[in-house]
Amino acid sequence: MISWISKSSGSEAVAGLGTLIFVGLFAVSPIAFILVNSFNIASPGQQFRGGLQGWVDAFGDGKTLSAVGYSFLLSIRSFVGVAIAFAVAWLLVRIRIPGRAVIEFFLWVAFFLPTLPITLGWILLLDPNYGVLNQLLVKLPFIERAPFSIYSVGGIMWVHLTLTTVPVMTILLMPALRQFDAAIEESARVCGSGPWGILRRITLPLLSPALLTVTIAGLIRSLEAFETEQLLGTLAGIDVYSTRIFEMISWEPPRFPAAMALSSFFLALLFILALFYQRFTQKREFATVGTRGISLRPMMVGPWRYLASGICLLCSALWIILPMVMLIIGSFMRLYGFFSVKAPFTVQHWLSALRDPLLLVCLKNSLVIALGVGIFGLAVYAMIAYVIVRTQIPARAIISILAWLPWAVPGILLGVALLWLLLSLPGISLIYGTFAPLILVLIIKEMPIGTHMMKTALAQISKELEEASLACGAGRFTTFWRIS
């Protein structure tokens, strides 16, 4: 610790030490709890007894191996999604196609929509028995049976691509493109490079840290996805990593050692991805916003931008608006999905919900938690990212890797581990029973994407801007607030 402080300035050492303690306590401790208990063969409440029975139970079952295979198969959507998301973000930022404000609004709507209800909207459209779209297609003379089934690998991938993968990835890539200096592309164009050469040699290399962050984030999130897989995969016999863990801990008695062993396997996979990300981005951090003036002018293109705009608007309507409308229609149905019954629509469901005395309480609690996570999460992620990118402390590489860890564990196991941590530490146990633990858990759960997207954004800002601010007498906090 003394050598660390001696190599760093006082403020850097304090910030680095505080960040390392926070990440180590709330990200590493739950992971250590899960790793240790994956070798615990004792019953809950008994003294720890080591053994490999949990690992044998987890990977000696063919159902678990099938779930792991399906998880990797469904994770392919992250690579498809980042390609589509980059194209859409490039059209919105660098081309500024007509209707871009509407398209971006649709993307933010998809970002805020909960996954489970919209999945119900897709069920109403693509259920093989009563799906509206299937029923309309079956009426065509050359189609004999329902062509689509939402209860399939393709159905699960479709829901994720249209609701979570492409919209979220596009939103995450747009800030990186907005900070991209167009003069770099213009210089390449003057030197004779064509659009493909500029994209391959200039745009993609400069944006590679952001693209890699979004791809790895999408890959990990696809591996841990739960709601859609549980709802759509159960009827098709499709188990994935997260649903298999949920099944293990839902048994009586719960199979916690097996569930934690399966989580430990994916923890090792995540650690490998984090190391690859660390090695890749260390050599590819490019500052595109510096002390000189930058050009943010969009590219001049021909009339084909109207075609691109039309395609984006059509996809937004089909992917986001259509299932949302079907969900709203379904909320008025007496029997969900059955339009042929007598008097299929009613307002009774809405009246029951609005008259529920717990509705306002739930809304207030959700608002408090959302504001708490938004405010404190922003501060935490900014602090961690700043320490990783802007300080010279030796531990910053370790912090960068540790920040990925919360995504290696399904939320339910992370909750169990953090509950153990809260009840074990005397000082922290005082917040048990308040909103604070829920806010803390959500902040930790989203630490990977929040930290590394801020890290990517900070890396695009030249250090010269901050040095100029400090030279003019501004403090580090003022520099961070106004410049970074």
Side-chain angles (χ1 to χ4, degrees):
M1 185 64 64
I2 296 177
S3 61
W4 175 14
I5 295 178
S6 64
K7 294 179 181 178
S8 308
S9 67
S11 59
E12 285 187 0
V14 171
L17 179 61
T19 303
L20 187 61
I21 292 174
F22 177 85
V23 175
L25 181 62
F26 294 109
V28 179
S29 296
I31 300 299
F33 172 81
I34 290 172
L35 282 172
V36 170
N37 281 277
S38 68
F39 297 97
N40 184 13
I41 62 175
S43 301
Q46 296 182 355
Q47 187 177 3
F48 178 87
R49 289 191 296 119
L52 296 174
Q53 189 59 44
W55 289 81
V56 173
D57 291 343
F59 293 98
D61 190 342
K63 194 173 182 181
T64 298
L65 300 179
S66 175
V68 173
Y70 273 121
S71 294
F72 284 111
L73 176 62
L74 290 170
S75 68
I76 295 174
R77 67 176 180 266
S78 61
F79 302 101
V80 178
V82 75
I84 300 174
F86 175 77
V88 175
W90 186 73
L91 289 171
L92 294 177
V93 178
R94 297 295 297 119
I95 304 297
R96 297 189 186 178
I97 57 177
R100 62 184 181 276
V102 177
I103 298 170
E104 188 171 353
F105 172 76
F106 284 155
L107 293 173
W108 280 104
V109 169
F111 180 80
F112 287 112
L113 286 175
T115 303
L116 192 58
I118 301 302
T119 304
L120 295 176
W122 279 116
I123 290 176
L124 201 57
L125 283 166
L126 299 177
D127 185 280
N129 297 317
Y130 58 80
V132 174
L133 183 58
N134 280 324
Q135 293 298 315
L136 293 175
L137 293 175
V138 166
K139 293 181 180 180
L140 297 176
F142 51 86
I143 297 180
E144 297 181 356
R145 59 181 182 178
F148 303 113
S149 175
I150 194 68
Y151 309 107
S152 62
V153 171
I156 295 173
M157 293 186 71
W158 174 257
V159 171
H160 279 294
L161 278 172
T162 57
L163 181 62
T164 58
T165 306
V166 173
V168 173
M169 285 183 169
T170 304
I171 291 173
L172 294 177
L173 286 174
M174 287 175 65
L177 281 166
R178 285 196 173 104
Q179 293 180 344
F180 190 88
D181 189 353
I184 302 174
E185 292 179 333
E186 293 170 359
S187 300
R189 194 175 298 109
V190 170
C191 293
S193 295
W196 173 246
I198 294 173
L199 179 67
R200 182 169 57 90
R201 296 182 178 181
I202 304 295
T203 308
L204 289 179
L206 288 177
L207 295 176
S208 58
L211 288 170
L212 183 62
T213 300
V214 171
T215 302
I216 292 180
L219 179 63
I220 297 172
R221 292 301 293 266
S222 66
L223 291 174
E224 68 156 9
F226 174 75
E227 297 97 336
T228 302
E229 284 76 0
Q230 178 72 8
L231 183 60
L232 302 180
T234 301
L235 294 178
I238 299 174
D239 273 320
V240 295
Y241 156 68
S242 57
T243 59
R244 182 62 177 157
I245 288 179
F246 178 76
E247 182 181 351
M248 289 177 175
I249 63 178
S250 298
W251 288 358
E252 280 295 334
R255 299 170 59 188
F256 280 112
M260 292 181 181
L262 186 53
S263 293
S264 300
F265 169 75
F266 277 86
L267 174 63
L269 175 64
L270 173 63
F271 188 75
I272 294 173
L273 288 174
L275 283 177
F276 170 75
Y277 172 84
Q278 187 77 8
R279 293 291 182 88
F280 184 88
T281 55
Q282 276 181 348
K283 301 178 181 179
R284 292 173 176 83
E285 289 186 352
F286 307 102
T288 59
V289 179
T291 53
R292 63 178 179 84
I294 64 172
S295 173
L296 301 176
R297 290 178 299 175
M299 296 177 61
M300 301 301 295
V301 297
W304 68 267
R305 67 183 185 275
Y306 294 100
L307 175 61
S309 176
I311 294 174
C312 290
L313 288 170
L314 179 61
C315 290
S316 299
L318 291 177
W319 293 0
I320 302 168
I321 304 303
L322 183 59
M324 187 169 60
V325 170
M326 295 305 299
L327 176 66
I328 295 173
I329 293 175
S331 68
F332 289 97
M333 300 186 69
R334 293 184 183 275
L335 187 60
Y336 192 82
F338 292 88
F339 292 90
S340 58
V341 299
K342 184 179 180 181
F345 298 104
T346 179
V347 297
Q348 187 59 43
H349 308 309
W350 281 88
L351 293 176
S352 299
L354 295 176
R355 290 171 180 170
D356 190 343
L358 294 177
L359 178 62
L360 292 178
V361 177
C362 294
L363 289 176
K364 185 195 72 173
N365 293 343
S366 299
L367 184 61
V368 171
I369 294 174
L371 290 175
V373 173
I375 295 172
F376 293 105
L378 179 64
V380 170
Y381 304 149
M383 178 187 68
I384 298 175
Y386 191 84
V387 168
I388 295 173
V389 176
R390 286 294 187 253
T391 67
Q392 298 299 318
I393 61 172
R396 65 185 186 279
I398 299 175
I399 296 173
S400 181
I401 294 176
L402 296 181
W404 284 107
L405 293 183
W407 270 1
V409 183
I412 189 167
L413 286 183
L414 183 63
V416 172
L418 287 172
L419 178 62
W420 163 81
L421 182 64
L422 289 174
L423 297 179
S424 301
L425 299 178
I428 301 179
S429 62
L430 297 176
I431 66 175
Y432 181 76
T434 66
F435 286 111
L438 292 174
I439 294 173
L440 179 62
V441 167
L442 291 174
I443 290 175
I444 294 171
K445 185 62 178 173
E446 299 305 324
M447 183 189 298
I449 188 62
T451 298
H452 289 284
M453 286 310 301
M454 283 200 169
K455 174 186 169 184
T456 301
L458 281 172
Q460 287 186 289
I461 301 175
S462 174
K463 292 182 179 179
E464 296 174 355
L465 291 172
E466 296 182 352
E467 292 170 356
S469 175
L470 293 172
C472 292
R476 287 192 174 273
F477 179 79
T478 303
T479 299
F480 177 79
W481 181 258
R482 297 187 175 182
I483 305 297
S484 304

